[in-house]
Amino acid sequence: MIYRFCRSVLRVLYKLLYRLEVSGLEHIPKEGGVLLCSNHITLLDPPTIGIMVERKVHFMAKQELFNIFGFSWLIRQLGAFPVKRGGVSKESIKTALTLLRNGHVIGIFPEGRRVKDAEANMIGKKGAATFALRSDAAVIPVAIIGTYKLFRKLRVVYGPPVDLTEFKENGGPDAAERATEKIMASIAELKKH
């Protein structure tokens, strides 16, 4: 209930303030586990990639935010779950895999940090690929294109699922690394649109 209300309010605000345009939503499966893998520009990115999606999108959020009285309850209602700073804890990995295996949607930023477009070389960390390979979740690349300047157009493009079958079947010690490269290449390609 709270999630839908906040999503509706943010949809209106983003349309007004950032002239938000979205394409490719049809690529997101209507059921089953889904990983939305996006480039990461600012702290506003989680709602940006989640508000136009009809399904609830869950995100990892730093543990410290869950120590704030009242705010912890709110962000949990909005689909956030805690992750320790400086690395992903066993508990957050378990939570992410459980969500995906139970058919939920998780938004993740494979770069692991905010990267300005000017310095973007699209190098990702293996977390997203590892989650995908261990859960069989669909991987949807997402590109945020533009800036968060008021009344300037901001675009979000959702691409077709990234096929990671070759990495699941052939495996090997570098499967997650190669899968990560493929995910990042898909995001980079969407950014050209």
Side-chain angles (χ1 to χ4, degrees), residues 43-61:
L43 291 172
L44 294 173
D45 294 340
T48 302
I49 70 168
I51 59 174
M52 299 308 285
V53 176
E54 288 305 314
R55 299 174 64 188
K56 184 174 185 175
V57 182
H58 300 265
F59 288 92
M60 290 182 183

Side-chain angles (χ1 to χ4, degrees), residues 149-169:
K149 292 188 179 168
L150 292 178
F151 311 115
R152 295 236 182 118
K153 189 189 302 184
L154 180 67
R155 294 178 55 227
V156 180
V157 180
Y158 300 85
V162 179
D163 184 3
L164 300 180
T165 309
E166 62 186 293
F167 309 113
K168 291 175 190 171
E169 292 174 355

Side-chain angles (χ1 to χ4, degrees), residues 71-157:
F71 189 67
S72 173
W73 177 84
L74 176 63
I75 60 176
R76 284 184 194 278
Q77 296 302 307
L78 297 177
F81 59 96
V83 61
K84 289 181 182 167
R85 215 175 196 152
V88 180
S89 66
K90 286 182 182 177
E91 192 58 39
S92 57
I93 291 171
K94 184 178 173 184
T95 300
L97 288 172
T98 299
L99 284 167
L100 292 170
R101 289 172 180 156
N102 289 335
H104 295 280
V105 180
I106 292 182
I108 193 165
F109 304 99
E111 290 164 300
R113 64 183 181 94
R114 292 183 299 279
V115 179
K116 300 264 189 249
D117 274 341
E119 62 173 283
N121 52 5
M122 298 302 292
I123 295 173
K125 297 187 176 187
K126 296 184 282 189
T130 301
F131 290 153
L133 295 173
R134 289 178 61 186
S135 70
D136 286 328
V139 176
I140 304 297
V142 184
I144 301 170
I145 304 166
T147 62
Y148 287 89
K149 292 188 179 168
L150 292 178
F151 311 115
R152 295 236 182 118
K153 189 189 302 184
L154 180 67
R155 294 178 55 227
V156 180
V157 180

Side-chain angles (χ1 to χ4, degrees), residues 22-56:
V22 175
S23 62
L25 286 169
E26 70 276 6
H27 295 300
I28 301 172
K30 298 202 183 316
E31 55 187 42
V34 175
L35 268 171
L36 299 177
C37 297
S38 177
N39 59 317
H40 197 10
I41 305 168
T42 77
L43 291 172
L44 294 173
D45 294 340
T48 302
I49 70 168
I51 59 174
M52 299 308 285
V53 176
E54 288 305 314
R55 299 174 64 188
K56 184 174 185 175

